[in-house]
Amino acid sequence: MDSLNLDHWTRVKDRLRSELGDDVFTSWFECMKLEAFEKGVIRLSVPTRFLRHWVQSHYSEQVLSKWQEEEPTANRLELTVRSCNNTAYIPTLKAALAPASNGTNVVQEPTNEHHDIRHLVGNRGAQSMSVREGLSGSPLDLRLTFENFMVGRNNTLAHAAAKQIATAGHNEKLMFNPLYVYAGVGLGKTHLLQAIAWAGNTTQRKTLYLTAEHFMYGCVSALRRQTVLAFKEALRGIDLLIIDDLQFLQGRSTQAEFCHTLNALIDAGRQVVIASDRQPSDHEGFDDRVRSRLSGGLVVEIGSLGEELRVEILKSRITAAKAVHPGFEVPQEVLLYVAKSVTHNARDLDGAVNRLLGRNKLTGEPVTLEMAKREMRDLIRPVELKRVRIEDIQRIVGRQYNVSRADLLSSRRTANVVRPRHIAMYLAKILTLRSLPEIGRLFGGRDHTTVLNAVRKMENLVSIDGAFAEEIEVLKRQLQD
Ligand code: ADP
Ligand code: MG
C-alpha cells in the first residue's frame, strides 16, 4: 500500500470522525482497513458481514465523496469482509450445488462467515427472534443447537455451563452470572450461545441473543432517534441476555450502555451470557470495574478441538451432507486423514467437507485419500497461528534489543529505545486484532497517529531492507511458536 493512499485514508477518516462524532465513527469505522486504491476503486475491508452491510447501506456515499475530495479519480467503493481462513473457492461451488431454491424458506445471511456447509446440505435456515417490546435479536441459525454440538475434552466445561443455563427454570437461583466464554475463531462460541438462545426460547424466560454489533446498532440508533430510555427499558426486561462477539463492541457511549445493562441485569438476578475472542482482562475499552464484573461469574475458555472431537464433527457433517446428496460416500481413511490434518478450527472442517462434496458432485470423482490430499492442501496450515498478546510482543522485542518493557512504554526518545518501540508497535498491529488506539494505549498511552506512523515506517523498512525484514521474521516466528 503506498503511503499517499494511506494518507488519503487517514484524512478521510479524520473528516468522517469529526462529522459523525466519536461514537458513531468508532462503532462503524474503527476496524475498517484500506486494502487498496486502484483504477478509481477504493477497496476497504471490515471484519464481519454485518458491518459491511451496515456501512454499505448507510455510509458508502459519504466515504466515496470524502475520498473524491482527496482524489477526484475515485469512482467506486468496494467493501469486503476480511476472512480469517481460506475457503475462497467455495462461493463458486455454492451456486452450482445449493439445492434449487423453492422460495419456501427465507434464509437470512448468517452472522458468521464461512457457513457454506449449510448451503450445500440445504438445511440452513435462520429465524429472527423478537421480544415483546419490539427489540429484535440477531438471527438464529436453525442448526446451531445443543443436539448438534459435539462435546470433547476442551469444551466440556463451556458446554456444561451453557446447558445448565439453558435448562434452568424461570425463577431458579443462578449458579454463575455472567457466563463468559472465550476462544479463537471457529471453536464453537456462536454455536454454544445460539444453542442457549434456542433452548431459552422454549422456557418461560424472555431470551435475547444479540451480536455486540447489533447491540451497538440498537444503541446508536436509539441515541439518534432519542429513544434511549425505551431501549434501556426493553433490555432490562430480558431474563436471559446473550451477547456474542463482545470484542466488536466499540464506541464510548455504547460501551457505557452495555455496562449499565450488564450491571442492571446481574443485580436484578437475570442471566447474562457473553462470548468473546479474548479474556475479560484483555478488553481494553472497558474500565476495571466492568472487566471485573465480566469475570465475576464463570469464565471458561474453549480450547482447540482435539482429534477425537474433529472426527465426531466431521462424521456429523458428512451425515448431514448425505441426507441431501445420497451418493456422497466418504471412506473412513479419508475421514481420519481430514481429522488429523485440518486441525485449525471447526469452520475449516466445514470447508473440508464442502470441498470433498463439491469435487465429488461436480466431477463425479469418488472421494479417495488421494483426492482429499489434493483438495485439503491449502486448508492445512504448516504452522498453527497462535493468538499473540501485546505483552509478549513487548517482552520478546525488549529481550531481543535489550530494552526494558518500562523503557518501551516510556516517553524516552533515544534511538536505542525508539526503534524497538516502533518494531513492537508494528508487530502488535500485524499479529493482533488490536486497533491503533488500543495499541497506543498499551504502549504508555500514545496517540493512534503515533502508532500509525511507527507502523508505516516499519512497513517501509521491511519492504526496502532485506536484513531488517529477516529480523522481523525471526521475531514473528518466536511470537507464534
Ligand atoms: P466461533 O463463534 O467460535 O467463531 P462457531 O460457533 O461459529 O465458532 O463455529 C464454527 C463452525 O464450527 C460452526 O459451523 C459450528 O457449528 C461448528 N462447531 C464448532 N464447534 C463445534 C462443536 N463442538 N460441535 C459441532 N460443531 C461445532
Ligand atoms: Mg462466532
Side-chain angles (χ1 to χ4, degrees):
M1 172 73 46
D2 74 46
S3 66
L4 181 67
N5 286 332
L6 280 175
D7 286 343
H8 288 334
W9 179 225
T10 308
R11 278 195 297 273
V12 167
K13 284 198 292 187
D14 285 346
R15 261 181 279 142
L16 285 168
R17 189 191 285 275
S18 65
E19 238 167 66
L20 301 168
D22 252 359
D23 267 321
V24 174
F25 179 85
T26 329
S27 299
W28 312 123
F29 295 96
E30 190 81 303
C31 19
M32 192 179 277
K33 251 200 196 129
L34 176 64
E35 299 291 344
F37 174 59
E38 44 194 18
K39 301 193 183 112
V41 183
I42 313 155
R43 287 184 222 287
L44 299 170
S45 71
V46 287
T48 66
R49 286 189 186 191
F50 176 77
L51 264 181
R52 180 183 64 183
H53 175 73
W54 186 254
V55 173
Q56 190 115 48
S57 46
H58 293 80
Y59 299 105
S60 55
E61 278 171 25
Q62 234 164 323
V63 176
L64 181 60
S65 73
K66 297 262 167 320
W67 195 284
Q68 283 164 336
E69 289 166 27
E70 294 286 327
E71 183 51 69
T73 58
N75 58 39
R76 195 154 59 84
L77 180 69
E78 215 177 83
L79 273 173
T80 53
V81 178
R82 288 197 283 282
S83 62
C84 316
N85 60 358
N86 192 348
T87 44
Y89 93 66
I90 289 173
T92 53
L93 283 179
K94 242 192 226 172
L97 290 171
S101 151
N102 54 16
T104 50
N105 193 10
V106 181
V107 177
Q108 294 188 19
E109 288 258 298
T111 48
N112 281 309
E113 294 93 50
H114 310 308
H115 275 195
D116 307 282
I117 183 87
R118 262 147 264 165
H119 270 282
L120 296 181
V121 301
N123 61 353
R124 188 185 71 171
Q127 186 173 312
S128 201
M129 160 177 61
S130 305
V131 286
R132 223 176 302 147
E133 293 81 357
L135 229 196
S136 60
S138 307
L140 289 183
D141 189 314
L142 284 171
R143 227 193 32 133
L144 301 183
T145 59
F146 280 116
E147 289 75 54
N148 295 329
F149 190 86
M150 311 287 152
V151 186
R153 196 161 11 105
N154 291 337
N155 61 15
T156 314
L157 186 57
H159 173 262
K163 202 72 206 222
Q164 199 281 331
I165 287 175
T167 50
H170 191 33
N171 285 321
E172 207 168 299
K173 192 163 167 7
L174 306 179
M175 277 173 69
F176 24 73
N177 203 14
L179 168 64
Y180 185 102
V181 180
Y182 71 98
V185 175
L187 295 179
K189 300 183 293 298
T190 296
H191 192 145
L192 211 48
L193 261 57
Q194 294 210 3
I196 300 177
W198 284 119
N201 268 343
T202 62
T203 61
Q204 293 273 297
R205 294 171 294 174
K206 264 185 266 167
T207 303
L208 185 66
Y209 168 85
L210 280 176
T211 64
E213 289 167 310
H214 270 100
F215 182 90
M216 210 148 80
Y217 156 73
C219 233
V220 172
S221 50
L223 283 170
R224 207 181 284 144
R225 287 180 305 180
Q226 302 184 322
T227 51
V228 179
L229 220 58
F231 178 71
K232 274 184 205 285
E233 297 232 314
L235 275 175
R236 285 165 206 185
I238 306 294
D239 298 309
L240 171 54
L241 178 67
I242 305 165
I243 303 274
D244 201 355
D245 284 328
L246 186 67
Q247 74 274 11
F248 290 130
L249 194 76
Q250 304 199 12
R252 223 168 306 136
S253 13
T254 311
Q255 285 179 344
E257 199 44 57
F258 169 76
C259 302
H260 294 320
T261 307
L262 184 69
N263 286 333
L265 288 179
I266 294 180
D267 292 342
R270 314 286 174 82
Q271 181 74 54
V272 179
V273 181
I274 291 164
S276 173
D277 71 348
R278 59 197 73 165
Q279 300 188 33
S281 56
D282 284 349
H283 276 279
E284 282 95 18
F286 299 134
D287 66 30
D288 285 345
R289 266 172 319 170
V290 184
R291 282 187 279 195
S292 80
R293 193 99 221 213
L294 288 174
S295 16
L298 179 66
V299 177
V300 208
E301 178 171 16
I302 301 183
S304 57
L305 310 163
E307 196 172 321
E308 279 166 36
L309 185 56
R310 295 199 296 272
V311 170
E312 289 309 308
I313 293 178
L314 277 170
K315 276 190 189 152
S316 80
R317 295 298 192 269
I318 293 167
T319 311
K322 261 182 160 161
V324 182
H325 304 280
F328 182 54
E329 290 297 336
V330 180
Q332 182 74 358
E333 61 167 357
V334 172
L335 190 136
L336 295 179
Y337 166 75
V338 175
K340 219 178 198 58
S341 39
V342 180
T343 54
H344 197 67
N345 64 40
R347 219 166 272 172
D348 281 357
L349 291 178
D350 284 353
V353 177
N354 274 342
R355 285 171 189 216
L356 298 178
L357 179 59
R359 169 65 58 180
N360 176 250
K361 287 283 143 193
L362 290 178
T363 66
E365 186 184 341
V367 179
T368 59
L369 194 55
E370 188 264 322
M371 182 242 248
K373 285 188 176 160
R374 215 178 334 115
E375 291 298 318
M376 295 309 114
R377 240 179 335 228
D378 60 322
L379 280 179
I380 299 170
R381 303 171 188 217
V383 199
E384 296 271 278
L385 285 186
K386 206 177 76 173
R387 274 188 297 153
V388 177
R389 299 182 325 156
I390 291 199
E391 286 154 76
D392 295 332
I393 297 179
Q394 290 166 341
R395 187 170 46 79
I396 285 185
V397 171
R399 197 175 60 196
Q400 178 77 12
Y401 298 97
N402 216 358
V403 191
S404 71
R405 181 158 178 269
D407 273 344
L408 284 178
L409 306 194
S410 74
S411 52
R412 286 189 50 202
R413 298 209 42 84
T414 47
N416 67 327
V417 180
V418 170
R419 171 58 66 85
R421 184 183 294 140
H422 283 174
I423 293 177
M425 287 179 179
Y426 168 66
L427 290 172
K429 183 65 202 152
I430 60 173
L431 298 179
T432 74
L433 295 168
R434 299 283 195 254
S435 65
L436 295 173
E438 274 177 313
I439 296 173
R441 267 197 302 279
L442 290 167
F443 275 84
R446 293 182 148 76
D447 189 73
H448 76 277
T449 51
T450 311
V451 183
L452 183 62
N453 285 333
V455 172
R456 283 186 191 156
K457 256 193 213 136
M458 296 301 103
E459 269 170 358
N460 187 38
L461 260 186
V462 166
S463 68
I464 56 174
D465 179 344
F468 182 71
E470 182 53 34
E471 224 170 289
I472 295 288
E473 273 312 306
V474 171
L475 285 167
K476 268 163 78 176
R477 240 172 284 139
Q478 283 183 44
L479 282 160
Q480 287 170 334
D481 277 349

